[in-house]
Amino acid sequence: MNQPLFSIVIPTRERHLTLPYTMESVLNQSYQNFELIIMDNFSSEETYEVVHQFTDERIKYFRATERLSISENWELGLSYTTGEYVFVLGDDDALMPDGLELASKLISEYNVDIVSWWRYSYGWPNAIVPWVRNRLQLNLLSHAKFWNSKEMLKQFYNYQLSHEFLPMVYNSFVHRKIIDRIKSIYGKYFMSSTMSAAPDVYSGLVNAYFTDSYLYSFRSISIIGSSGYSLGASVCYQSFKSEPLKDVLKDDKEDYILKVHPTLVPTTNQEIGFAHVQLRTKELFFPSDTEFEVNIENLLNFVIQQINRDPGTYEITLKDIEALAQKHGISVAKLNIPDKLTNLNIDVEGYQGLVFSSEGTPRQLIINCEQVGISNVAQAVKLAQGILPRIESIIVPTTHVNNFTKEEELELKYQKYQEKEQPGSRVLVDGVFFQLYKTGIARVWKSLLEQWANTKFAEHILVLDRANTAPKINGINYRTIHAYDYNNTEGDRQILQQICDEEGAELFISSYYTTPITTPSVFMAYDMIPEVLGGNLNEPMWREKHNGIQHASAFIAISQNTAKDLSTFFPDIPLESITVAHCGVDSLFCPASEVEINAFKYKYGINKPYFLLSGLGGYKNAILFFKAFAQLSNKDNFDIVVTGAGSQLPSEWRQYTAGCTFHALQLSDEELRLAYAGAVALVYPSQYEGFGMPVIEAMACGSPVITTPNASLPEAGGDAVIYVKDDDIEAMVDALCEVQKPSCRNLLINAGLEQAKHFSWIKMAEIVKIALIKASFLDLNLKETNIIIFPDWSTDKEKLGLELMDVIQLIASHPNHNQITLLIDINGIAQEEADLFLQSIAMNLMMKEEIDITEKLTISLLSDLTDSQWQSLIPCINGRFVLEHENQQIVADGQVQQIPLYSLENL
C-alpha cells in the first residue's frame, strides 16, 4: 500500500493551554509518515515553550514576525509544507488515533485527490457554549461515499447544504496538485482577510470547484474542539463571549466589516459572512458560471432560521435582515421571522445519551466526559476510538453520488445523513480472453461458465462480453462491452469501474489481467512463464498482469506450482492465501474407436502411426523431441502431427524429419480427441507449464504421454506418464522406443485413464466459486480461529447485554485473542442498532474492566447471507458458542448445525 507523506498544519495564536493536547493527538498516530507544521501567529513565549516540550523530529515550528490575519497565517504555514496531502488542524482540535491510517487507507484503495470527513465534536470544560461543555458528540455512521463536487457546491450556494459537507482543508486531506492549481490562478491558495474572513469555508468552495469528486467519510478522522478561545463559537454566540472574534478582527490589517461585498451589509453575522465568501470566490474563479449564484431571498431565509441561535443577538440580527432586505427591495413583512426566544436557560446542563432520527434510528451518541474523567481533546479522541468501529469496517459504495433524494437533501440540511441500502452483490467476469485468443485459457473459462450455468451461483455472475466474442451459454447473464485495446489500458480501467458501479458489482475477476479502479478483484494465475523464463516484463500484456496482481485482494492459481511461483515473485502474497483450483478435463475427451481414428487419419492424409506434439514454439521445447526422433532407427515408420498455434516446422529442423511426413493441424475439440486417441504418444517436453492441460486430455483419451518433470507437469501427470529431463536427448530416445512396446503402452494407457479421473471441471468450478464467495467476505476479517454466535435480539436487552459482555470479555482476555474473530449474527435487528448495542458493551468493558476491545478483539457482524454464502463461510468457522438467549429459529437450520459447538469454558 502506498504511504503518502501527510502535512498537518496547526495555525496557532495564544493557545498554549490547548495546543499541547492537539499536538499529542497528532504524535500518537498509528501511521508514521507525516510532518507537523506549527505556524505560530506571533504568540507570546508560552507557545514556543509548549511546542519545544516535544522532541519529535517531525515537528517543524515557525513563528510569524508580526501578527497576521487568519488567512495570511494559514498561507504562511502552507508554504512550509512538503507533503503530498495537506490538512489544517485547529489548535483546540484533535486527530483520531487512527486518523492518518484511515486517510491513507482510503487514498490508497480509492485513488482520490481529496478525502473529507464529518467531524465529531468535543466541548472543552471552558467552552463558550455551556451546554456543550464536557460533551463528546459522536456520529454512529461508519461509511464513506463519493460525492460529485459541483453538485455539492451548487447545493451549498442554494442553502441546502451545511459547509461541513464541503471538502474544506479544515476537514480534508487535499492533494498538493489541487492547491498548486489554485495558486497558479490566484497567486496564493487562501484569499486575503478582506476577501474571505473564513479561510476554511473558502477552501471548501475552491476545492470543490476544481475537482470532479471527493470521498466523504462519516467515520471521522478528526474531532473539532470547542474551547473558551474558539472563533466559530464566538461568532455564533457573540452575547456569550465575543472576545475571540474581537481579537481576530483587531489583527486584520484592513477592516473586514467595511470591506464586505457590496451586495451585502456590514455585519459579523456568520451566515452573511459565508455569503461574502461565496460571492468573492465566484467573482475570482467562476464569474460567468450561472450554476453558482447567491439568491438574496434564500440568504435572508437562511439567516432567519438561525436568528434564535443566540437570543442575545436577536435584535442585531434582525437589523441585518431588515437592512439586507431593504437593500434588495424585499418586503420584510413577507419574511417569516420568528419572535425572540425569551425562555432560554443558558445554564442548563448539556444532554447525554443517544440522539435518534425521526424514524427512531440511533444517529449520535453524546457522552458526558466529566463522568469518565476526561478533560481535554487528546483524551476525548482515545475514548472515541475505543467506542467506534475499526477502520476496516468502513463501507465505501463505489457508485458516485450525482443527485440526492428529497429525504437526503433534508438530512443534509440538518447536518444528518442516513446510509442507504446497497443493491445485491454481483461478481463481474471480464471475458476478455475470448476476444484475444482461443487457446487453453478460453477452454478454462468456457468450462467454468458451463458448470455454473443454471445454478444459483449464476444469478450472481455477469460476464462482460468483449465485442460479442464470448461463447453464449444458457443460464449465464452477459453485457456486451467495447473491445479491449492494449494501447488504452487506463481508459479501459475507467470504463470497467463505471460498469462495476452501474451493475453494483461487489467483486471483479478477469479472464486475462484487466482491472477496474476501486472494485475489489480476484486474480486468476495461469502461469508465471515470463517471470520464470526471463521474458520482457515491459510488454503491455505482462505490465497489465502485474497491475492485476497488485490490484487483487484474493488469488486463485491453476496449480500448486503456479501458486508457489506467484508467491516467490510477489513475496507479499503468502502461499497459503492462494486458492489452488486444478483444471478439469471435458467428458468429450475419451477413448475413440478404431473406426473413428482411421476416419480422422484418412481425412488428414496420415498414413502411418504418429507422434503427437502440442505446439512448437519457445518454452514448449519441441526441439528435444526432433533431435531424439532423428536418432530412432525406425523413424521412417512414423509421421509427426503438431496441433495448435505456432505449429509450422522451422526450416532448420527439417533435417530431423527426413523420410517422414510432418502434419501441422488446427483441430476442433472433437478432432483433437481423435488425434490424442490415435497417437503413439503425446510428446510434451515443455520447460514450464502453468498446468499442462494437453497432458490430462491425452490421458483421458487413452494416449500414452511423455513429458518433463518441470513446474506443474508432475501435478498433471502423476505416476501415469514417462518423465525425461528437458535437455536429455538420450532419455527422450529411450522414451520414444519404450512407448512403442505394447506392455508399456497398455500400462501407461490404463494408468493415464485413472489419473485423468482426478481432474474435473465440476471440482474446479466449485473451488473457484467458493474462492469468489470468500473474497466477498474480506470485510469479515476472518482469522485463524473464527467463532460465531446467534443472539436472540428480541430478548430483554439488559439480559442479552450481560451475556454478550461475558462472551466478549472471555475472548478479549484469551491469550490468543489477536488470532480470533467473533462473528455475531444480527438477523432480527437493524445494523445501526446492533452497532450501538455493541458500542455500549465496549464502553462498559472499557470503563468497568479497563478492557479496550478495539485492541484485543475483532468483531464482525453477519446478516442475510445466501445459501451459497453460508456454504462457503461455514468451513471457515471453527465453532459456535451456545447462548442462553439464542435465536432458535436460525440455529435449527441444517447448515448452522454443521458448525461444531463450543462453550465459554472450553475455548
Side-chain angles (χ1 to χ4, degrees):
M1 180 184 292
N2 178 40
Q3 293 200 335
L5 174 64
F6 290 119
S7 293
I8 299 107
V9 181
I10 303 179
T12 188
R13 175 188 177 278
E14 305 295 359
R15 298 279 187 90
H16 57 274
L17 295 179
T18 60
L19 178 62
Y21 300 106
T22 300
M23 294 179 63
E24 178 185 333
S25 75
V26 177
L27 297 174
N28 285 339
Q29 291 295 299
S30 56
Y31 181 98
Q32 300 296 313
N33 193 26
F34 66 86
E35 61 178 6
L36 176 56
I37 310 295
I38 309 296
M39 189 61 243
D40 182 358
N41 193 0
F42 202 63
S43 302
S44 57
E45 287 187 3
E46 287 91 341
T47 298
Y48 175 88
E49 292 170 356
V50 161
V51 173
H52 287 83
Q53 290 174 2
F54 297 92
T55 58
D56 195 302
E57 62 182 12
R58 292 169 296 187
I59 299 173
K60 301 175 183 179
Y61 172 78
F62 302 96
R63 184 174 185 268
T65 56
E66 60 177 334
R67 184 59 54 81
L68 304 174
S69 69
I70 294 179
S71 295
E72 290 169 332
N73 195 50
W74 285 29
E75 187 74 38
L76 185 58
L78 180 63
S79 70
Y80 293 118
T81 61
T82 62
E84 187 178 356
Y85 287 84
V86 178
F87 164 56
V88 175
L89 180 66
D91 54 7
D92 56 4
D93 301 347
L95 273 179
M96 291 286 288
D98 61 358
L100 297 186
E101 185 180 353
L102 174 54
S104 175
K105 176 180 184 290
L106 294 175
I107 288 169
S108 298
E109 290 186 10
Y110 299 99
N111 191 29
V112 290
D113 292 332
I114 299 180
V115 170
S116 306
W117 57 89
W118 176 264
R119 294 180 292 178
Y120 307 145
S121 64
Y122 167 70
W124 288 75
N126 67 341
I128 291 174
V129 182
W131 53 83
V132 305
R133 290 172 187 160
N134 299 305
R135 294 300 186 271
L136 173 61
Q137 185 170 331
L138 304 176
N139 185 350
L140 298 181
L141 299 178
S142 59
H143 69 286
K145 293 201 81 170
F146 282 102
W147 277 349
N148 182 300
S149 300
K150 302 298 191 304
E151 182 64 29
M152 301 300 280
L153 185 59
K154 183 163 58 175
Q155 293 198 39
F156 181 69
Y157 269 84
N158 291 336
Y159 299 102
Q160 298 171 320
L161 185 76
S162 164
H163 65 284
E164 281 290 333
F165 292 97
L166 293 175
M168 304 181 292
V169 76
Y170 215 37
N171 69 338
S172 309
F173 275 104
V174 181
H175 197 286
R176 181 168 297 279
K177 68 182 179 184
I178 298 172
I179 295 172
D180 289 343
R181 182 179 179 188
I182 295 165
K183 289 171 71 174
S184 71
I185 297 171
Y186 182 54
K188 53 185 176 181
Y189 181 64
F190 295 105
M191 287 187 181
S192 64
S193 58
T194 54
M195 290 286 282
S196 170
D200 51 349
V201 177
Y202 155 79
S203 70
L205 301 183
V206 291
N207 290 340
Y209 190 79
F210 288 105
T211 55
D212 293 327
S213 64
Y214 57 99
L215 185 58
Y216 193 93
S217 172
F218 287 88
R219 166 56 155 86
S220 190
I221 288 175
S222 71
I223 282 184
I224 183 170
S226 181
S227 70
Y229 319 105
S230 295
L231 175 60
S234 181
V235 172
C236 293
Y237 298 91
Q238 294 180 37
S239 74
F240 290 31
K241 185 177 181 180
S242 60
E243 285 78 6
L245 173 60
K246 291 177 180 177
D247 288 344
V248 168
L249 294 176
K250 182 176 63 178
D251 291 341
D252 285 340
K253 297 181 175 64
E254 300 179 79
D255 191 336
Y256 157 73
I257 297 176
L258 296 178
K259 293 287 186 178
V260 71
H261 193 276
T263 306
L264 307 174
V265 294
T267 181
T268 57
N269 175 273
Q270 176 178 265
E271 287 68 42
I272 297 176
F274 284 177
H276 167 83
V277 178
Q278 291 171 302
L279 289 164
R280 292 297 190 193
T281 305
K282 174 179 172 58
E283 289 174 345
L284 189 60
F285 292 103
F286 38 93
S288 60
D289 198 328
T290 57
E291 282 196 302
F292 310 109
E293 303 284 358
V294 174
N295 181 289
I296 298 299
E297 192 166 347
N298 289 344
L299 170 59
L300 286 167
N301 288 323
F302 187 44
V303 177
I304 289 168
Q305 289 175 18
Q306 308 296 331
I307 194 170
N308 273 310
R309 177 176 54 207
D310 177 6
T313 59
Y314 181 94
E315 288 78 12
I316 297 173
T317 306
L318 181 59
K319 287 181 180 179
D320 290 337
I321 292 169
E322 291 170 342
L324 186 58
Q326 183 180 5
K327 189 168 189 174
H328 291 273
I330 298 172
S331 172
V332 175
K334 293 182 178 180
L335 299 174
N336 186 20
I337 303 175
D339 294 334
K340 178 180 178 180
L341 285 179
T342 57
N343 59 350
L344 180 64
N345 180 6
I346 66 171
D347 295 322
V348 68
E349 184 176 358
Y351 176 79
Q352 64 185 73
L354 288 170
V355 178
F356 294 86
S357 69
S358 58
E359 295 82 15
T361 304
R363 307 301 292 281
Q364 296 176 337
L365 176 64
I366 300 177
I367 300 169
N368 185 341
C369 293
E370 186 177 18
Q371 292 183 350
V372 292
I374 287 176
S375 60
N376 64 66
V377 75
Q379 297 171 330
V381 289
K382 292 179 181 178
L383 176 59
Q385 169 99 349
I387 293 174
L388 295 167
R390 295 168 175 264
I391 64 172
E392 291 87 352
S393 65
I394 304 299
I395 302 168
V396 185
T398 54
T399 303
H400 285 52
V401 175
N402 293 308
N403 296 293
F404 292 100
T405 65
K406 291 181 179 179
E407 294 172 345
E408 288 173 322
E409 290 176 0
L410 183 63
E411 295 281 336
L412 292 170
K413 184 174 180 180
Y414 292 98
Q415 303 186 2
K416 295 178 182 178
Y417 187 89
Q418 182 171 0
E419 183 176 8
K420 302 297 175 184
E421 184 178 353
Q422 297 304 309
S425 62
R426 220 172 188 184
V427 178
L428 261 59
V429 178
D430 189 349
V432 62
F433 195 88
F434 295 118
Q435 174 202 327
L436 300 175
Y437 307 102
K438 304 300 180 185
T439 53
I441 295 173
R443 188 190 303 282
V444 169
W445 277 102
K446 182 174 182 288
S447 300
L448 291 176
L449 295 173
E450 287 172 341
Q451 295 301 322
W452 290 332
N454 302 315
T455 68
K456 288 185 177 181
F457 185 60
E459 298 172 5
H460 299 276
I461 295 171
L462 179 66
V463 175
L464 303 182
D465 183 2
R466 298 279 188 162
N468 206 28
T469 57
K472 304 305 183 288
I473 300 167
N474 290 334
I476 298 294
N477 297 310
Y478 295 86
R479 173 172 170 170
T480 303
I481 65 170
H482 62 287
Y484 185 66
D485 181 1
Y486 277 115
N487 295 316
N488 187 29
T489 55
E490 185 57 40
D492 191 78
R493 272 191 281 275
Q494 294 176 9
I495 295 173
L496 286 178
Q497 185 56 57
Q498 180 180 340
I499 293 170
C500 287
D501 294 343
E502 292 170 358
E503 298 292 345
E506 184 179 76
L507 200 64
F508 178 94
I509 183 169
S510 176
S511 58
Y512 209 60
Y513 309 150
T514 54
T515 59
I517 297 173
T518 59
T519 300
S521 67
V522 175
F523 181 83
M524 177 82 88
Y526 308 107
D527 59 61
M528 299 298 286
I529 291 172
E531 293 81 5
V532 172
L533 301 182
N536 180 7
L537 299 181
N538 290 321
E539 290 182 7
M541 183 186 300
W542 308 133
R543 191 171 63 242
E544 290 308 297
K545 176 183 179 181
H546 285 217
N547 179 71
I549 292 171
Q550 298 290 351
H551 181 273
S553 53
F555 301 88
I556 301 171
I558 62 172
S559 68
Q560 293 285 355
N561 186 77
T562 297
K564 177 178 67 69
D565 287 344
L566 176 62
S567 181
T568 298
F569 285 95
F570 294 88
D572 291 340
I573 305 173
L575 179 59
E576 61 273 13
S577 72
I578 304 171
T579 297
V580 174
H582 286 122
C583 296
V585 58
D586 196 282
S587 58
L588 167 71
F589 292 101
C590 60
S593 67
E594 188 174 347
V595 172
E596 291 177 293
I597 295 170
N598 288 337
F600 164 74
K601 293 173 68 174
Y602 178 79
K603 177 179 179 179
Y604 288 104
I606 303 170
N607 299 314
K608 300 177 183 178
Y610 60 91
F611 288 103
L612 179 66
L613 290 91
S614 179
L616 299 180
Y619 68 92
K620 295 296 184 182
N621 195 36
I623 187 63
L624 177 67
F625 163 77
F626 283 99
K627 288 182 177 180
F629 180 79
Q631 296 184 27
L632 292 180
S633 59
N634 62 342
K635 72 172 185 173
D636 292 346
N637 296 334
F638 299 96
D639 283 358
I640 300 172
V641 175
V642 180
T643 66
S647 56
Q648 295 304 312
L649 185 68
S651 57
E652 61 271 23
W653 289 10
R654 290 174 184 165
Q655 59 180 310
Y656 305 119
T657 62
C660 69
T661 304
F662 177 89
H663 304 269
L665 305 180
Q666 298 294 322
L667 304 176
S668 66
D669 284 353
E670 290 76 10
E671 290 179 325
L672 183 59
R673 168 208 168 212
L674 301 176
Y676 284 135
V680 176
L682 169 72
V683 184
Y684 202 66
S686 180
Q687 294 174 324
Y688 185 97
E689 289 296 324
F691 177 66
M693 197 176 297
V695 171
I696 60 170
E697 290 175 346
M699 290 189 299
C701 294
S703 172
V705 176
I706 302 169
T707 188
T708 65
N710 294 341
S712 62
L713 289 167
E715 294 177 55
D719 296 327
V721 302
I722 298 176
Y723 292 105
V724 298
K725 292 183 179 180
D726 61 21
D727 59 353
D728 193 336
I729 299 173
E730 185 176 346
M732 179 59 80
V733 172
D734 291 342
L736 295 176
C737 293
E738 192 70 16
V739 81
Q740 298 176 44
K741 299 175 181 178
S743 59
C744 177
R745 285 182 55 74
N746 290 334
L747 185 65
L748 289 173
I749 289 171
N750 292 329
L753 289 171
E754 287 301 312
Q755 175 68 7
K757 292 178 183 178
H758 296 158
F759 302 97
S760 160
W761 289 122
I762 296 175
K763 186 186 299 184
M764 182 185 191
E766 183 67 16
I767 293 171
V768 173
K769 180 192 80 172
I770 291 174
L772 292 175
I773 296 174
K774 282 183 177 179
S776 68
F777 289 139
L778 292 176
D779 58 337
L780 294 185
N781 298 302
L782 300 177
K783 296 189 177 179
E784 183 175 326
T785 301
N786 303 295
I787 305 297
I788 193 168
I789 56 176
F790 296 92
D792 181 358
W793 296 102
S794 65
T795 303
D796 177 79
K797 290 297 188 288
E798 183 175 352
K799 293 180 180 178
L800 183 61
L802 290 173
E803 187 171 16
L804 294 186
M805 188 181 297
D806 287 342
V807 173
I808 292 171
Q809 183 175 352
L810 175 75
I811 297 177
S813 304
H814 193 278
N816 296 324
H817 58 80
N818 289 329
Q819 301 170 18
I820 300 174
T821 291
L822 175 62
L823 302 171
I824 302 180
D825 179 81
I826 59 169
N827 281 291
I829 187 172
Q831 179 159 345
E832 295 87 352
E833 293 181 49
D835 284 335
L836 181 62
F837 191 74
L838 294 169
Q839 288 166 14
S840 66
I841 292 175
M843 188 173 178
N844 284 332
L845 286 172
M846 181 179 292
M847 299 305 169
K848 295 180 180 179
E849 307 294 338
E850 297 185 351
I851 296 176
D852 183 357
I853 68 169
T854 63
E855 296 180 356
K856 291 181 173 292
L857 181 60
T858 298
I859 296 177
S860 299
L861 305 183
L862 288 175
S863 67
D864 300 326
L865 297 185
T866 65
D867 288 344
S868 58
Q869 285 176 319
W870 268 117
Q871 289 170 11
S872 60
L873 180 60
I874 283 176
C876 305
I877 300 175
N878 301 84
R880 168 169 70 90
F881 275 167
V882 179
L883 302 178
E884 180 180 351
H885 304 97
E886 195 166 52
N887 189 325
Q888 296 299 322
Q889 182 178 357
I890 293 180
V891 299
D893 183 89
Q895 294 195 96
V896 173
Q897 294 203 356
Q898 299 175 36
I899 305 172
L901 298 181
Y902 273 39
S903 66
L904 298 182
E905 291 73 24
N906 67 9
L907 174 61

